[in-house]
Amino acid sequence: QMQLVESGGGLVQPGGSLRLSCAASGSIFSIGTMSWYRQGPGKERELVASSGAHPHSSAGEQPDYAESVEGRFTISRDNAKNTAYLQMNNLKPEDTAVYYCNFVAQTTSMGPWTNYWGQGTQVTVSS
């Protein structure tokens, strides 16, 4: 099986920055879309950003962002390292949440495409 391990969360002041990482390990054949979700206290889980397997190959594979983070967050990926990143700048208190990464992946060449989730990492934005 494949596992996703997240890191990079923490406590920051409003206006500060953090970079989250999500690295896949185990049996990996191919990884498609990489995404970041978050769930704040008392809120529904929401999609923050997503990136297709080849985000620079065409206009149709441009990264997607939630309106609330557009212009502040940047999703990127290193396919050689099976890793996704979320650069978060100008953080606001409303960004406080547990952040989860999600990869759509195959573990064998003919296997199904399956969703895999990271364990979650806490981001707290407060003075």
Side-chain angles (χ1 to χ4, degrees):
Q1 288 190 321
M2 192 175 80
Q3 297 84 40
L4 306 184
V5 178
E6 301 182 37
S7 62
L11 173 64
V12 297
Q13 295 181 333
S17 298
L18 284 174
R19 190 177 79 154
L20 307 183
S21 298
C22 179
S25 62
S27 299
I28 304 169
F29 180 77
S30 183
I31 300 175
T33 299
M34 296 178 173
S35 302
W36 290 94
Y37 291 76
R38 69 185 181 187
Q39 187 166 18
K43 299 180 180 179
E44 298 179 358
R45 183 172 297 189
E46 66 173 338
L47 177 64
V48 176
S50 64
S51 177
H54 305 286
H56 304 293
S57 64
S58 69
E61 292 187 329
Q62 289 284 88
D64 293 319
Y65 298 94
E67 183 178 0
S68 59
V69 308
E70 187 90 47
R72 299 187 297 118
F73 291 11
T74 302
I75 186 172
S76 61
R77 58 192 290 161
D78 186 336
N79 290 333
K81 296 182 179 180
N82 296 317
T83 299
Y85 305 94
L86 186 68
Q87 179 66 47
M88 303 183 293
N89 297 327
N90 192 24
L91 284 160
K92 303 176 179 180
E94 53 262 43
D95 296 318
T96 295
V98 178
Y99 285 71
Y100 300 90
C101 58
N102 174 276
F103 291 1
V104 180
Q106 292 176 295
T107 58
T108 63
S109 63
M110 297 297 178
W113 288 91
T114 304
N115 283 291
Y116 295 87
W117 291 92
Q119 81 280 7
T121 185
Q122 177 71 48
V123 172
T124 302
V125 185
S126 177
S127 297

